[in-house]
Amino acid sequence: MGETQSTPIPFAQGMAAGLSELSGASPAQINVLSDAAGALHVRPGIRAWSEFGTAPVDSPVIGIFEWRQWTLFVTEDRSLCALDAAGSVLDLGYSLGGTGRPVFAYDQERVVVTGGGAPVQWQGAGAATELAPGMTDPSGSPLTLTHIQYLSQRFIGNVNSNTGIVQWSKPGPGDHDQWPIVGPYYAEAEASPDPLVAFWANANEGFAFGTETTQVYVADNAVGFSVAASQNVGCLV
């Protein structure tokens, strides 16, 4: 009679990837959320995106933003378009400046997008236009932003100049085309001399991300925005 040998079953994590728990990997879960009790629920609103239709969409889509009844999007050739509820594509007649990822924001009257060039606005009808024509950054160069947000009745973003400059518009719905460089309308994220690579907002706070540091800004009646916190944590892009 032949000799019998016992071989252990490898249950250790990392042995293989798959759907079976016996393989050593956790079961794959797609488009689900776990509640406090650990039960799994299908994520609401997750579905495959359909095609954008025919022309004028002749280039891959690189950025999408929902605003009111429209889905705004930017294509790889930097064209700005809007998809309405009926499925029709509107060419907004504007080519987004810069080479960065499109970043969107909005207020009561308009949606704004930038991607390293001049910020652009659209008010739901007609063609898109430049938000702040003729405005400059503190160095005197034309105003260009990599990111833009809306805080305390102001549009605010980081200047695309490889510096730490954060600049914002005058407050109020009628003054968003004014970005002065005299007075409390810009600041330098000076926790470190690292350049800013992004600016995002959440719950009335602005987060300036540099390559080495992160600073949090809050609204300030005297100076527009002031620093509330700083950390030695940065971003590459």
Side-chain angles (χ1 to χ4, degrees):
M1 184 174 180
E3 183 179 353
T4 301
Q5 293 183 346
S6 297
T7 303
I9 299 176
F11 287 101
Q13 291 288 339
M15 294 296 295
L19 297 177
S20 173
E21 290 184 329
L22 295 180
S23 69
S26 299
Q29 305 291 345
I30 301 174
N31 286 342
V32 297
L33 293 173
S34 176
D35 62 19
L40 298 177
H41 304 273
V42 176
R43 295 179 65 184
I46 302 298
R47 62 182 176 85
W49 182 258
S50 60
E51 294 293 330
F52 282 95
T54 57
V57 186
D58 298 320
S59 180
V61 174
I62 60 172
I64 304 176
F65 188 76
E66 292 283 346
W67 181 67
R68 297 180 181 175
Q69 67 266 40
W70 295 282
T71 300
L72 279 84
F73 60 95
V74 178
T75 54
E76 195 172 55
D77 62 5
R78 314 298 285 182
S79 296
L80 181 59
C81 302
L83 181 71
D84 65 18
S88 299
V89 175
L90 309 177
D91 185 348
L92 302 187
Y94 202 100
S95 181
L96 189 66
T99 59
R101 172 187 174 186
V103 178
F104 296 83
Y106 68 96
D107 67 356
Q108 300 92 336
E109 299 180 3
R110 60 184 65 78
V111 61
V112 176
V113 58
T114 192
V120 179
Q121 67 170 338
W122 187 58
Q123 299 190 24
T129 60
E130 191 172 334
L131 176 67
M135 293 292 101
T136 68
D137 64 28
S139 72
S141 299
L143 179 66
T144 57
L145 307 173
T146 68
H147 293 68
I148 192 166
Q149 301 289 287
Y150 187 71
L151 284 174
S152 299
Q153 296 189 331
R154 301 172 176 90
F155 282 107
I156 179 173
N158 59 306
V159 174
N160 186 19
S161 59
N162 202 35
T163 66
I165 299 295
V166 178
Q167 191 170 344
W168 52 87
S169 66
K170 284 187 174 182
D175 290 323
H176 296 325
D177 59 344
Q178 298 298 309
W179 294 61
I181 56 174
V182 177
Y185 299 106
Y186 71 92
E188 182 178 1
E190 55 190 13
S192 182
D194 56 324
L196 292 180
V197 295
F199 189 92
W200 297 101
N202 182 45
N204 211 32
E205 294 178 323
F207 296 81
F209 295 95
T211 56
E212 299 175 5
T213 58
T214 299
Q215 290 191 241
V216 182
Y217 283 83
V218 295
D220 187 310
N221 291 333
V223 296
F225 291 94
S226 59
V227 176
S230 301
Q231 289 189 341
N232 287 322
V233 179
C235 298
L236 294 178
V237 292

